[in-house]
Amino acid sequence: MGILDGTFGRLAPKAKNLVVAGGLSAFVFGVYFYTMRAVGGSDELQVAIDKFEQEKQKKESKPSLASNT
């Protein structure tokens, strides 16, 4: 017998399912938004991608010896 058996046990099965679904949904959305806030705070990946693209364009703009022959 748990602490919530007094009130939770008296609910209809559909009501119990709604309570559990609501709790799980709140947990999932909480974890999602926490993760997005924690990860989205830094743009290090985008900076690295931009730097790579710039270096790639510099290399492509230089004439290569293989293309001249």
Side-chain angles (χ1 to χ4, degrees):
M1 304 246 169
I3 296 173
L4 296 177
D5 283 342
T7 54
F8 190 71
R10 294 179 191 162
L11 294 174
K14 285 188 178 183
K16 288 180 188 178
N17 289 342
L18 287 174
V19 169
V20 171
L24 288 174
S25 297
F27 174 75
V28 168
F29 283 118
V31 169
Y32 172 78
F33 286 115
Y34 171 79
T35 304
M36 289 298 112
R37 187 173 56 93
V39 173
S42 70
D43 290 331
E44 294 176 14
L45 181 60
Q46 189 61 44
V47 170
I49 291 171
D50 293 340
K51 184 177 178 182
F52 174 77
E53 290 293 329
Q54 288 173 354
E55 290 178 6
K56 184 178 173 184
Q57 289 176 356
K58 286 179 185 177
K59 288 180 183 179
E60 290 176 351
S61 66
K62 292 181 182 179
S64 64
L65 295 175
S67 64
N68 291 338
T69 57

